[in-house]
Amino acid sequence: MGRDEMTELKDLERRVQKLEAQIEIRELATAYAVACDEHDMDRLVSLFTEDAVFDSPSGLMMANGRQAINDMFIEMFKIRGPGYHWTHDVFVRVDDGDLNRATGTVLSHAETCPADTVSLAAMKYNDVYRREDGVWRFAKREINFLYYVPVTDYHKSLTSPQRFYAGGEWRDADYPEKLPVWKAFDATYKS
């Protein structure tokens, strides 16, 4: 086998590894949704690295390390009844320099019932993934809410920046109004 053929073979192997990583990370995102809905704590925490970070711009969901993530979800699930999460688009970018690292964005919705209030949520997760011992896990997961509203208020949820109902109070949504590109569009085209 010549040098060019060896280079092509190595390139093909690398591309296959990246495709396999993308598939496994998509499955990781789905496993997270299922574990949340089933309140399967063992499965849920196994999806995170030992040093993982869970974060949110609102500051309401923050935890550093697998044990803290476990504790955070236990407290949340204590007041939440049945829920249903569904994952939509999953964008994965595998690090060219280290095939055991990747970043991604996951778009999803959820039907939940915190404190006996049936609610709807639209979320965007910004993730960092790391493969450990051949298994992909979340090294960082940041949840951003487009809205999280009681179903009785859904019909008016996109007409105000205060689309995030948590702890008995309305808060500004995490996005899109806070995004630099959104602000730039408004400054350019709405002024």
Side-chain angles (χ1 to χ4, degrees), residues 96-152:
D96 282 325
D98 184 348
L99 296 181
N100 291 311
R101 297 184 180 276
T103 58
T105 302
V106 178
L107 305 177
S108 64
H109 276 90
E111 299 169 357
T112 64
C113 191
D116 295 326
T117 303
V118 178
S119 301
L120 298 172
M123 301 151 298
K124 175 173 64 173
Y125 293 93
N126 295 315
D127 293 331
V128 176
Y129 313 104
R130 191 166 66 228
R131 183 168 37 198
E132 299 176 329
D133 300 321
V135 178
W136 283 99
R137 292 186 171 92
F138 297 106
K140 181 175 183 185
R141 181 144 246 224
E142 179 190 77
I143 188 171
N144 294 266
F145 289 97
L146 173 65
Y147 59 82
Y148 192 175
V149 298
V151 292
T152 55

Side-chain angles (χ1 to χ4, degrees), residues 19 28 30 44 58 76 84 89 99 104 107 116 134 137 165 170 176:
L19 289 171
L28 173 67
T30 300
L44 181 60
S58 68
M76 183 179 10
Y84 185 77
D89 298 318
L99 296 181
L107 305 177
D116 295 326
R137 292 186 171 92
Y165 187 75
W170 288 97

Side-chain angles (χ1 to χ4, degrees), residues 23-166:
I23 291 167
E24 291 169 10
I25 290 169
R26 290 176 205 281
E27 291 174 354
L28 173 67
T30 300
Y32 170 87
V34 171
C36 283
D37 291 343
E38 295 177 355
H39 294 190
D40 184 343
M41 293 308 301
D42 290 339
R43 184 175 189 192
L44 181 60
V45 297
S46 76
L47 303 175
F48 291 88
T49 62
E50 193 64 45
D51 62 345
V53 172
F54 197 101
D55 198 4
S56 66
S58 68
L60 293 177
M61 297 177 70
M62 298 180 72
N64 292 310
R66 187 182 281 163
Q67 186 59 51
I69 292 168
N70 178 73
D71 297 346
M72 177 189 73
F73 275 100
I74 286 174
E75 290 306 309
M76 183 179 10
F77 292 161
K78 282 180 181 180
I79 65 160
R80 193 169 87 191
Y84 185 77
H85 289 72
W86 61 100
T87 302
H88 303 295
D89 298 318
V90 179
F91 302 95
V92 177
R93 292 159 300 282
V94 179
D95 186 330
D96 282 325
D98 184 348
L99 296 181
N100 291 311
R101 297 184 180 276
T103 58
T105 302
V106 178
L107 305 177
S108 64
H109 276 90
E111 299 169 357
T112 64
C113 191
D116 295 326
T117 303
V118 178
S119 301
L120 298 172
M123 301 151 298
K124 175 173 64 173
Y125 293 93
N126 295 315
D127 293 331
V128 176
Y129 313 104
R130 191 166 66 228
R131 183 168 37 198
E132 299 176 329
D133 300 321
V135 178
W136 283 99
R137 292 186 171 92
F138 297 106
K140 181 175 183 185
R141 181 144 246 224
E142 179 190 77
I143 188 171
N144 294 266
F145 289 97
L146 173 65
Y147 59 82
Y148 192 175
V149 298
V151 292
T152 55
D153 294 306
Y154 177 72
H155 68 285
K156 58 185 176 183
S157 65
L158 291 177
T159 60
S160 166
Q162 291 205 323
R163 301 183 301 273
F164 182 20
Y165 187 75

